[in-house]
Each structure stands twice: as C-alpha cells, then as structure tokens.
Amino acid sequence: MSSSILKAEDIVFEYPNGTRALDCLSIDIEEGKKVAILGANGAGKSTLFLHFNGILQPDEGRIQFKGETVSYDNKFLKRLREKVGIVFQDPDMQLFSANVFQEISFGPLNLDLSDEEVENRVYEAMEVTETTDLKERPTHLLSYGQKKRISIADILAMKPEVIVFDEPTVWLDPKSSIEIVDFFNEINKQGITVILSTHNVDLAYSWADYIYIFAEGNIISEGKPEEVFQKQDLLDTADLIQPWIIEVYDHLIDKGVINSDTPLPNSKEELFTLIS
Amino acid sequence: MSSSILKAEDIVFEYPNGTRALDCLSIDIEEGKKVAILGANGAGKSTLFLHFNGILQPDEGRIQFKGETVSYDNKFLKRLREKVGIVFQDPDMQLFSANVFQEISFGPLNLDLSDEEVENRVYEAMEVTETTDLKERPTHLLSYGQKKRISIADILAMKPEVIVFDEPTVWLDPKSSIEIVDFFNEINKQGITVILSTHNVDLAYSWADYIYIFAEGNIISEGKPEEVFQKQDLLDTADLIQPWIIEVYDHLIDKGVINSDTPLPNSKEELFTLIS
Amino acid sequence: MLDIDQYAYSNQLRQVHPVEKALFTFMTMLVCLVANSIITSLAVITLMVGVVIFKAEIPLQFLIKLLLLPISFLFLATVTVVITITNSGGDFLFYFNLFGWKIGVGAGSLIKALNLFLKSLGTVSCLYFLALTTPMVELLSILKRLKIPKIFIELMILIYRFIFVLLETANLIRVSQVSRLGYSSFKNSFYSLSKLVSNLFVRSYYRAKGLLTTLLARGYEGEIKVLEPDYEYSKKNFVLIFVAEILLIILTIYVGGGDFVIINT
Amino acid sequence: MHISEGVLSAPVLVAGAAATAAGVGVGLTGMSDEDIPKTAIVSSALFVASLIHIPLGPTNLHLVLNGIGGILLGWQIFPAFLVALSLQAILFQFGGITVLGINTFNLALPAVASYYLFKLLLNFNRSDKELVLGGIALICGIVAVFLSTIMLAISLVFTNESFLEIAKLTVVSQLPLMLVEGISSAFIITFINKA
C-alpha cells in the first residue's frame, strides 16, 4: 500500500486583506508520485504550496507530513522545511547570494551539517543540474535558464523528500522545457516526490501520475490524467483546455480511424502507434 | 502591392558588456500583417523590438519606418514611439501609476492632445480591452491577467500603427491565452500591424501570416508558417519544436490515413476535417 | 557603470588571494595619506595604474574613463582652495578687485591644491585597484575575517545582490516609460521620474516580502550562512607588497614630504 | 550628495565615523530577523535611486531619498546607508572609504529625523486620507534633503573656512532636488499605504 507524504485536511486560509485563497481544501499526496496541479492564475496553488512547508499556517484545518500533523514550533518547522523543498516561480526572488557556490550552500548550511558535508552536497547538486562550470560565476550575470537551474540546485542540496515546482516551464523555450521535464523524471526515479503547478495541459497530461484541478481555492477535480482531462465542463470552470493528444484521439475515434475501445494514449508516441 | 512598415537593414548591436545581441540582421515587416517571431531565450528578439521604437540605436545599419530612415532626434523619436507601441513581457514593469485610469492616460497625455481627447482614448482603450469596470482600481491590486490587459490598453490608447507584443501568453492560463489571440486578430482587422514574440510554436503556427525564426542575433529562417515549420534542422538550431498539428499531419500521411498531396492544415479544425 | 563589477570577475589577478590584494590597497592608501606629498602621491598613482593595466590587464581606456569621474569632483573641491577672497592684504600670485575685495589665486594655495588633488586621486586609484581586481564575494570574505559584525555582512550580501535586481527593474520601467514618451518634455520628465522612483520602492517592498518567504523556505533562522571559498596565500606576493610599501616610504622621506599629519589641507 | 576622499580634515572624519558607529549600533540592536530582508532591499533601492541623474543646467543632481528611507526604516536607515555607501565607494568610487562615516551620518541622521517628524505629524492628523499622508511624506522628504545639505555644508566649513562659498552654493543647487524628493516620497507612501 502506498503512503501519504503530504496531506491537507479541510484547510481554510484568508490573506490579511480578506481574500479567501483556500476554501476548505483537502488534498492527499502519495509518496513517490509525480503530481501536477492545474488551475487558472490566482486559483490558490501557490498559497497551498506555502502551507506545505509551514510558511503559511491555515486558519482552519491541518496539514500532515508523513502522517504527522504539522506543528508550528521552530523544531518541527526546521525538519519540515528540510524535507519539503519549494522551487519558486521567479528565480530572481530566490537567489540572494553573490555567487553560485555560496548560493547553493545556504540551504544545507541551515541544516547544521559539517562544512565538508555541505560542500559535498553543493557539488552534487551542481552536477545533477549541470551547473558545475558556473560555480564561481556571479548570480547577476547568469541567463534566465541558468538562474532557473541554480534555483533548483538550491533545493536539491537540501536533500528533500518532496520538491514542489511552482510553474517551472514558464519563460523557458520549448527545448529547455523538455529538458527540465526529463530532469523531473530523473529525480522522481531517485525516490523524490515531485509536485508541480503548471498551465501547460499537454505537459501535465503526459508527465503526471496524478492530477489536481484547482478553481477558486478548491480542488474541483482529481484523478489520473486520462480521467481528469475527459471532463470538459470541469476544465472550462478552471479556464483550462484539453490536451491536444486527447482531442486528436477523440477525433480519430469519431471518424473510425481507431477503434472506440482503444485506451487513451499517454504520450505523442503512444498516439502515433495507434494510427496505422 | 503591399508596403513595408518596419524595416531593419544589416543592423548590428552590441551591449556595453560586449554581448553582440544582433549580428547583421535584416528584417522587413509588411504593413497590416500578423507576424510572429520565434527563438530561444536570449536570441535577440527583445533587443530588436527596442530598435523598432528607437530606444536602442544600432551600432551599424539602419531602421526604416514606412520607408523613412529613423533618425534619433527628439522630434522623429516622438513620432516613431507614437506609431510603434510595445507591450512588454512583464506588465509589472509597465504599470507604474496609482490607478488604471491614470495608467492608461500616461501615453496619450505625452502626445500633447487635449484633455478631452485623452479621456476619450482612455475610455475607448478600456472598452476594447474589456477593462472599463477596473477604471478606479489601484494597479498593484489587479490579477496578472488584468494587468496584462491594462498594459495592452496603455498602448492602444496611443493609437499606434504597429503593436509589438513581447511574449504575450507567458503566465496566462490557456483560456486567457486563447482570448488574447482572438483580441490580436481583432485589432489586426482594424488595420494595426501586429508583431509578437513567443515560445509557443502551436500559437505561432495557427495565428501568424508570416514567421521569423531567430537564433543568436540573426534570422535563420523566415516564411509562411507551413514553410518554416517543415525545416526540422532549423527548428533544432533555434531550440524550437514542431507544432503538434504538423507532427500529427506528417504521421497521418506516413500511415496513409490522409492523402500525401493534402495541403498542410492551418488549424486544429482544418486538421480534423482532413481526418475522415 | 557596473563594468567595474564585471572586470572584478574576469581580470588577470582574479586568482590572487583577496587578503593580499586588500593589504596592498590599504597599506598603499595609508602611505599616500600620511605622506601628504606631491611626489609620493604621483608615485602611488603610477604604481596603481601600472598594476591595474599590466598585471590585471584592464584596458587603459576603461581605466582612464573611470579616473575621469572623481577628477571632476576633485576639481571642484580644489578650486575652492585655490581661490582666495579677502578684503585685507594677502599674498597673491594674481588677483583682481571687486567692490574693494581681492579675488585671486593665493601664492601658497596653488601648491596646496595640487597636493590635495593628487592625494585624493592617489587614494582613489588604490580603491580602483581593489574594486577592479576583487569580486564582491571576496571582499565580503575579507570583512568576515576582520570580524565585522555578521548582521552587517548579511546586509551587504543581500544589498549587493538586490542592487542588480532593482537596477534591472528600474531600467525596465524607464524603457517602458520612454516607449510611451514619458521623457519627451521637461514637465513630463519630472512626473515620470517621480513615478519611476516610487515604483522602484513599491516593487522593493514586495521583493522584501518575497525574499523573506524564499529564505524561510530554505531554513532561514535569522542568520545568512554561506560557505567561504578557499584561497592560497602566496609568500612571493607578500614580499612584493612589503617591498613596494617600503620603497614608497623611503621615497617620501627622501623628498621630505612627510610631516606625518594625517590629511591636513 | 557625497564628499570625496581627501577633502575633509581628520577631526571631521573621526567625529563623523564615531557618530555613524553609534547610529549603526542603535539601528542594529533594534533589528529583528524579519527586518533584515526589508532593510537590505530598501537600502538597495536607495542605492539604485541614487544612480538616477537629473540633468539640470550644468550640474547633475542625484536622488538621495533619505526622507522616505527614514520613514520606512527608522534607525535602521543607519546600517542601510552605511552599506549602500560602502558599496558605492567600491563599485563607483562615489565618496570613499575614509569619508564613509561622515557621509553616512550626513544622510542618515536627517533620515531618522524625518522618521520622527513623520510619526509626529501623523499624530497631529489622525485621518488616513491619501492627501494628508502624501502631504506629510512630502514635507518629510523635503526636510530630510534640506538637513543633509546643511550638514554637508557644515562639514565642509569645519574643515576649512574657505569652503564657505562652495557650501552656500551646494545648498542652493540642491533646491530642485528637494522638490523631486518630496514628491517621490509622497507617491511612495500613498502607494505603500494602499498595498
């Protein structure tokens, strides 16, 4: 049986200005999965993420990490933030240090590790994100794509069990987007639970094990990609569209090109093998 | 015969730090067209746009607006910037006034129009962008999508002949992206030349009349969408991918589902009518 | 202007230990200030310019451009020393009368002004050497060694980084204002500038909130800790530095400029 | 509004450094963890704003914005200005190392004054109307630059009486700056108040 790594139970959260960002939301994320969270701008995705590592505290309800209810004392929070890493949307918001090496060392240093261990982790994280040659470079002279990589290395060096990526492919060109998705698969294979928020339905459809659809502070639908994306009305409510693979598939069935009992293809490649 | 509205002849531009952003680039944009410019991050798209309204001055070569060579005196620049509007990537950088009405009036007020005319233009721009009800709202409390609309109204109120949109759909959810593209078509029908830069090959393919592909400060390919996107090797150089419509079409021909002399479909709908 | 920063990362003395570079800078600066002599100041300027151009391999043109900046400031300051206004007697090289006042150049003041000018330029060239050869990260690590309070260094880390972020922001806002003709007349320039500045601060305000969030997410507990890079000391460099300083001191004593009064104009 | 290296006499430099050290001490003791990012970013903004030139006749005015800086940071404006000026000395050669103390003091003390003035005026007028708030910020912005200019002039005169003329000139030349600063401060405060 699979176990839950992050769980929210009926959480309500209002910002000081009165906006109700989360409205009695429940979510249960399974360990080791690839999870995509979809929804329009302002649906509450980023607010939920900040609950996952205890930056925000729900007005009502509670968060559980691996079955343990999150308490908001320093000790628990420290452990939680070690285990749940967030890569923020805008790398410029996250990078604060003058050079890459120092930047990546910040997180692990907060974990009270030895300097040697920290150094090892920094080198490891740079290797995985292919940024080793940027080691001595000043942060402000990096390109956007490089900054994005460093912001990921920042979190990897803390060796979290879950990594949350907030809109990781926005701004990236198509090639870099594909590379970063491959990278998500790679770290997922190493046992890290990967959660990402995105507007890109095609990406979510082909990549995720499980999908949540957000609208106005709540989850309006969840399930495997092939289930979730068949509900056209729910997609409409969340300002989303169908992935093109499903559209083409539906059409091919309509026109009798493929058999109506053919299972939904998961990727471009699967779709193409169906056509013959 | 169609006439050229913006033209660059062999322009070279180096940033003070020595980066050569544009390397002997020539481009000729036809009046009244819908033009998409594609290319990886840092390929020089935004640098070219800043040449179009005279913010940057080429080290070599020259820019022409409607056949007239751009000169960099105040008088010419004023006219140029009135006629060539740029909607920047990040609306946060463009909106700097306290409320929406003030924000939109900024441009027209600098055109020495009467207060009455300015007001008319602001209302008109708000109407076209469907933001009239936001009139009195402070700009920094708007949602991302609303800010994007206001940043467009900003430029519309100046009544330009060309509008350049730098990455307009980034950050927008799929529904808003579709709406904004419809909007581009609408203003184009009113005679405004629309130029946009994007990473979204599917959008560019279905929307544009003419496409330029940038790589490393130069145009490596140009032509009608169906021509440009067939050159797989050039797309690779520019870190781009093929639009899915072409991929599916190619596959359908390969497998004999459709006839090999069928013309390339321009949109999803066209593709679907081919399948029967 | 942030080219200085770029050269700091790419110059030929980049690999030299930052402590050695700082020692060289501040000892030379001290000699220059204490010596209070035109000859020593000239020697210091020559030395620093020489090292920057031939050792660090910074283009001469760029260095000249940099040196011209403080020169304009200094010129203004020294002019006031040169010009004397008095209604009594006085020892003038030349002067003219205006409503019974004598306005002119005093006899001693020309030398005094030249001394002041060169001394300032000498210390400035020392600082240019340091700024052009040593990246900020390394300067910060020197400050750490000097036991400057941690909180102060943390502030420097953050401020240095965010200067670039905000500079970019300010520039983007300016470009979008110029695109909408924001600076086409004196009146609207005034208006646009006020908006630019206020936006810069408002953006900063949000940035500060965002930064705190991202720091907390990475386990921030009130102290910004980063790992220091390692550098190798070089004995040869230490010897060179001391030889240079001793030569400067000998020169000063020889020309008799050293009345050892700190910065006395 | 900087004094360059080598212009001032030793007593003025030492007095400035000592006063700044005291101010920085007060600023740092009152600083919580959450204040660090805020102080840092406001300080960066002050740095960037000071790079903005206003060409005015033969001279170039640089924004100082110590009034608004003081309102936002209180005593923490001392460490903020000290770091900002240190970085300017290193990156741009504005000012210098020996004059760091006096330059910081001349900018930061009026900023702290503006902080208290802002509080005081706000107490007089409890309405949170935008116009009132903006007006108060405007006054604080102008007063802070004015005080800084006077202090700069005094530092010059203490060093050498022959600087009196240039000191007077400085005060006059900063008048337009005071206006820009006041208006900017008003904008900023009304903006942030709404946020």
Side-chain angles (χ1 to χ4, degrees):
Chain A
M1 210 193 83
S2 60
S3 59
S4 148
I5 191 157
L6 274 170
K7 194 171 173 180
E9 281 178 5
D10 302 318
I11 56 170
V12 172
F13 183 79
E14 256 181 38
Y15 278 103
N17 65 14
T19 325
R20 179 163 283 218
L22 300 176
D23 192 7
C24 213
L25 178 143
S26 294
I27 194 171
D28 188 355
I29 287 165
E30 253 180 63
E31 193 163 353
K33 290 278 161 154
K34 300 188 281 186
V35 177
I37 296 184
L38 288 138
N41 292 313
K45 293 168 288 176
S46 304
T47 309
L48 177 66
F49 295 162
L50 294 178
H51 279 83
F52 281 161
N53 74 350
I55 302 256
L56 295 179
Q57 199 172 340
D59 299 331
E60 287 168 41
R62 58 193 184 138
I63 308 284
Q64 288 189 326
F65 175 68
K66 287 185 148 183
E68 214 176 328
T69 300
V70 169
S71 68
Y72 295 84
D73 55 282
N74 285 339
K75 217 175 126 196
F76 196 101
L77 284 179
K78 189 163 184 173
R79 197 157 58 87
L80 183 67
R81 287 171 190 165
E82 176 180 355
K83 295 301 172 200
V84 182
I86 302 184
V87 177
F88 290 88
Q89 286 180 346
D90 181 0
D92 269 329
M93 201 65 114
Q94 188 180 322
L95 308 181
F96 69 88
S97 187
N99 88 14
V100 169
F101 183 82
Q102 294 198 339
E103 173 63 41
I104 304 175
S105 74
F106 174 76
L109 273 174
N110 288 328
L111 301 177
D112 309 323
L113 305 166
S114 70
D115 281 5
E116 210 188 330
E117 170 65 10
V118 170
E119 207 176 322
N120 286 339
R121 285 190 177 199
V122 173
Y123 279 109
E124 206 180 308
M126 288 195 295
E127 204 171 304
V128 178
T129 52
E130 293 170 27
T131 52
T132 314
D133 49 328
L134 303 175
K135 190 185 153 201
E136 309 233 330
R137 288 277 284 283
T139 328
H140 57 269
L141 294 183
L142 301 175
S143 73
Y144 180 83
Q146 290 169 331
K147 282 181 186 165
K148 194 83 211 175
R149 277 164 191 271
I150 303 301
S151 71
I152 295 172
D154 273 358
I155 303 302
L156 279 181
M158 296 178 77
K159 303 219 169 184
E161 296 180 15
V162 192
I163 305 189
V164 180
F165 294 91
D166 204 352
E167 299 281 359
T169 59
V170 158
W171 291 115
L172 292 177
D173 47 61
K175 273 284 164 56
S176 314
S177 296
I178 292 174
E179 279 170 24
I180 214 171
V181 170
D182 287 344
F183 174 76
F184 294 156
N185 288 330
E186 207 174 292
I187 57 172
N188 179 253
K189 270 190 207 126
Q190 289 161 23
I192 298 177
T193 310
V194 180
I195 304 174
L196 63 83
S197 73
T198 183
H199 286 149
N200 188 334
V201 287
D202 298 317
L203 161 70
Y205 177 71
S206 297
W207 175 81
D209 294 327
Y210 204 80
I211 286 180
Y212 293 91
I213 295 185
F214 264 53
E216 287 165 25
N218 234 313
I219 293 171
I220 57 165
S221 178
E222 63 176 282
K224 297 202 167 137
E226 51 276 25
E227 296 160 20
V228 167
F229 282 118
Q230 301 254 39
K231 302 171 188 160
Q232 187 67 58
D233 52 333
L234 283 174
L235 294 178
D236 277 345
T237 327
D239 288 344
L240 296 171
I241 53 170
Q242 270 198 331
W244 66 265
I245 293 179
I246 295 187
E247 280 199 81
V248 173
Y249 163 88
D250 281 350
H251 214 82
L252 290 172
I253 285 184
D254 265 16
K255 300 286 161 149
V257 179
I258 56 174
N259 234 318
S260 67
D261 54 359
T262 324
L264 251 175
N266 235 317
S267 64
K268 198 162 80 180
E269 289 72 24
E270 269 184 52
L271 173 74
F272 289 160
T273 55
L274 290 183
I275 308 169
S276 60
Chain B
M1 210 193 86
S2 59
S3 60
S4 148
I5 190 156
L6 274 169
K7 194 171 175 180
E9 280 179 6
D10 302 317
I11 55 171
V12 172
F13 183 79
E14 257 182 36
Y15 279 101
N17 64 15
T19 324
R20 180 163 283 221
L22 299 177
D23 193 8
C24 213
L25 177 142
S26 295
I27 193 170
D28 189 353
I29 288 165
E30 252 179 64
E31 194 162 354
K33 291 279 162 157
K34 300 187 283 184
V35 176
I37 296 184
L38 289 136
N41 291 316
K45 294 168 287 175
S46 303
T47 308
L48 177 65
F49 295 162
L50 294 179
H51 279 82
F52 280 161
N53 76 347
I55 301 260
L56 296 178
Q57 197 170 344
D59 299 330
E60 289 168 39
R62 58 193 184 138
I63 308 285
Q64 288 189 328
F65 175 67
K66 287 185 145 182
E68 213 176 331
T69 299
V70 170
S71 68
Y72 295 85
D73 54 281
N74 285 337
K75 217 175 127 198
F76 197 101
L77 285 178
K78 191 163 180 174
R79 198 157 58 88
L80 183 67
R81 288 173 189 159
E82 178 181 351
K83 295 302 172 201
V84 182
I86 303 184
V87 177
F88 291 92
Q89 286 182 347
D90 185 356
D92 271 334
M93 298 304 165
Q94 194 178 316
L95 309 184
F96 38 72
S97 299
N99 73 37
V100 169
F101 188 87
Q102 280 186 20
E103 174 60 39
I104 303 176
S105 69
F106 182 87
L109 273 176
N110 293 330
L111 294 176
D112 312 321
L113 305 166
S114 70
D115 282 4
E116 209 188 328
E117 171 66 11
V118 169
E119 202 171 313
N120 286 340
R121 286 190 177 200
V122 174
Y123 278 108
E124 205 180 313
M126 286 197 294
E127 204 170 306
V128 178
T129 53
E130 293 171 28
T131 52
T132 314
D133 49 329
L134 303 174
K135 190 186 150 199
E136 311 249 323
R137 291 275 287 280
T139 43
H140 56 279
L141 293 183
L142 301 175
S143 75
Y144 182 83
Q146 289 168 332
K147 283 182 187 167
K148 194 82 212 178
R149 278 165 190 270
I150 303 300
S151 72
I152 294 172
D154 275 356
I155 303 303
L156 280 180
M158 296 179 77
K159 303 221 170 185
E161 296 181 16
V162 192
I163 305 188
V164 180
F165 294 90
D166 204 352
E167 299 280 359
T169 60
V170 159
W171 288 114
L172 290 178
D173 47 61
K175 272 280 164 58
S176 315
S177 296
I178 292 173
E179 279 169 23
I180 213 171
V181 170
D182 286 345
F183 174 76
F184 294 157
N185 289 330
E186 207 174 293
I187 57 172
N188 180 251
K189 270 190 208 127
Q190 288 161 24
I192 298 176
T193 309
V194 179
I195 304 173
L196 62 83
S197 74
T198 183
H199 286 150
N200 188 335
V201 287
D202 299 318
L203 160 70
Y205 177 69
S206 299
W207 175 81
D209 293 328
Y210 204 80
I211 286 180
Y212 293 92
I213 295 186
F214 266 54
E216 287 164 24
N218 233 315
I219 293 172
I220 56 165
S221 179
E222 65 176 277
K224 297 205 166 135
E226 51 276 24
E227 297 159 19
V228 167
F229 282 117
Q230 301 253 40
K231 303 172 186 159
Q232 187 68 58
D233 52 332
L234 284 174
L235 294 179
D236 278 345
T237 328
D239 287 347
L240 296 172
I241 53 172
Q242 267 197 335
W244 66 265
I245 293 179
I246 296 186
E247 279 199 81
V248 172
Y249 163 87
D250 282 349
H251 213 81
L252 290 172
I253 285 183
D254 266 14
K255 299 287 162 144
V257 179
I258 56 174
N259 234 321
S260 68
D261 54 0
T262 323
L264 250 176
N266 234 318
S267 65
K268 200 162 78 177
E269 288 72 25
E270 271 185 52
L271 173 75
F272 290 160
T273 55
L274 290 183
I275 308 170
S276 58
Chain C
M1 262 334 288
L2 288 159
D3 297 345
I4 295 189
D5 186 69
Q6 296 224 10
Y7 280 114
Y9 289 97
S10 59
N11 73 88
Q12 294 304 308
L13 292 175
R14 169 84 165 83
Q15 299 306 327
V16 173
H17 199 297
V19 168
E20 293 165 11
K21 287 183 275 196
L23 193 72
F24 180 53
T25 302
F26 288 106
M27 284 181 58
T28 314
M29 215 166 116
L30 191 71
V31 171
C32 180
L33 287 175
V34 172
N36 200 17
S37 116
I38 290 173
I39 304 288
T40 310
S41 298
L42 280 172
V44 166
I45 295 167
T46 316
L47 175 68
M48 285 304 177
V49 168
V51 173
V52 166
I53 288 168
F54 296 110
K55 284 289 169 191
E57 294 181 23
I58 308 284
L60 176 66
Q61 233 181 337
F62 179 68
L63 185 65
I64 289 174
K65 219 170 77 190
L66 283 184
L67 284 169
L68 285 175
L69 284 175
I71 283 177
S72 57
F73 275 112
L74 287 175
F75 191 72
L76 211 71
T78 40
V79 158
T80 60
V81 179
V82 174
I83 292 169
T84 311
I85 305 171
T86 176
N87 56 359
S88 57
D91 192 9
F92 283 100
L93 281 180
F94 58 84
Y95 67 92
F96 58 90
N97 277 307
L98 198 72
F99 308 118
W101 290 70
K102 285 179 178 171
I103 302 172
V105 175
S109 64
L110 207 58
I111 299 291
K112 223 159 97 184
L114 189 65
N115 186 16
L116 177 68
F117 181 81
L118 288 174
K119 194 172 62 181
S120 292
L121 200 60
T123 56
V124 163
S125 62
C126 290
L127 280 177
Y128 270 143
F129 162 76
L130 189 65
L132 283 167
T133 59
T134 320
M136 190 55 61
V137 204
E138 297 178 359
L139 292 176
L140 289 174
S141 84
I142 297 171
L143 292 178
K144 255 182 221 176
R145 273 164 226 257
L146 292 174
K147 303 284 173 227
I148 301 276
K150 260 185 199 153
I151 192 165
F152 202 73
I153 291 169
E154 290 174 6
L155 278 177
M156 285 195 101
I157 293 174
L158 296 179
I159 292 171
Y160 176 67
R161 163 83 184 118
F162 279 93
I163 281 171
F164 293 98
V165 174
L166 293 180
L167 209 55
E168 164 107 19
T169 305
N171 196 41
L172 287 173
I173 298 175
R174 193 189 61 87
V175 164
S176 86
Q177 286 182 325
V178 173
S179 295
R180 286 157 73 196
L181 298 166
Y183 296 89
S184 55
S185 73
F186 184 76
K187 198 181 124 216
N188 66 16
S189 298
F190 193 74
Y191 181 67
S192 299
L193 182 72
S194 301
K195 290 206 156 179
L196 188 152
V197 171
S198 48
N199 253 272
L200 189 65
F201 272 79
V202 175
R203 299 262 153 268
S204 310
Y205 182 82
Y206 286 112
R207 284 257 166 218
K209 281 190 181 170
L211 173 64
L212 184 63
T213 302
T214 59
L215 288 178
L216 284 172
R218 286 160 75 192
Y220 174 67
E221 289 176 305
E223 193 187 329
I224 291 171
K225 294 175 265 194
V226 289
L227 219 52
E228 287 308 318
D230 292 325
Y231 304 96
E232 293 277 321
Y233 281 107
S234 141
K235 274 185 192 155
K236 190 188 126 203
N237 284 342
F238 275 107
V239 173
L240 279 175
I241 293 168
F242 281 104
V243 169
E245 303 309 329
I246 287 166
L247 286 176
L248 280 175
I249 292 168
I250 290 171
L251 174 75
T252 307
I253 295 169
Y254 181 74
V255 298
D259 50 357
F260 290 90
V261 178
I262 299 175
I263 322 172
N264 184 359
T265 55
Chain D
M1 214 188 291
H2 297 87
I3 301 173
S4 300
E5 198 90 76
V7 175
L8 295 177
S9 70
V12 175
L13 292 179
V14 173
T20 290
V24 169
V26 176
L28 290 183
T29 40
M31 202 158 170
S32 71
D33 296 351
E34 278 94 59
D35 286 339
I36 295 180
K38 190 174 122 195
T39 308
I41 296 206
V42 172
S43 171
S44 316
L46 289 170
F47 181 108
V48 173
S50 76
L51 297 180
I52 299 168
H53 309 249
I54 314 163
L56 201 94
T59 56
N60 240 333
L61 293 178
H62 300 259
L63 291 176
V64 179
L65 291 169
N66 55 344
I68 189 71
I71 295 173
L72 293 175
L73 294 183
W75 279 92
Q76 282 143 26
I77 195 70
F78 262 97
F81 261 124
L82 180 56
V83 176
L85 294 184
S86 311
L87 290 175
Q88 288 199 336
I90 295 163
L91 294 173
F92 294 104
Q93 282 346 104
F94 286 167
I97 297 295
T98 59
V99 285
L100 209 49
I102 185 74
N103 277 338
T104 304
F105 184 70
N106 286 346
L107 292 174
L109 193 70
V112 174
S114 132
Y115 167 71
Y116 285 113
L117 183 65
F118 186 73
K119 274 184 153 182
L120 188 77
L121 291 177
L122 219 53
N123 271 336
F124 265 121
N125 201 325
R126 277 237 160 270
S127 95
D128 57 348
K129 278 212 186 93
E130 235 172 67
L131 211 61
V132 175
L133 207 63
I136 294 175
L138 180 96
I139 295 168
C140 293
I142 292 175
V143 167
V145 189
F146 179 73
L147 288 178
S148 283
T149 315
I150 298 292
M151 286 170 67
L152 177 106
I154 293 173
S155 324
L156 286 171
V157 172
F158 260 92
T159 289
N160 192 322
E161 276 167 41
S162 66
F163 283 170
L164 188 63
E165 293 307 310
I166 199 168
K168 282 183 198 158
L169 199 73
T170 313
V171 177
V172 175
S173 72
Q174 300 294 328
L175 285 174
L177 182 70
M178 292 173 202
L179 208 59
V180 180
E181 301 249 334
I183 293 173
S184 301
S185 306
F187 271 138
I188 294 164
I189 284 297
T190 45
F191 249 122
I192 290 181
N193 183 49
K194 268 186 275 177

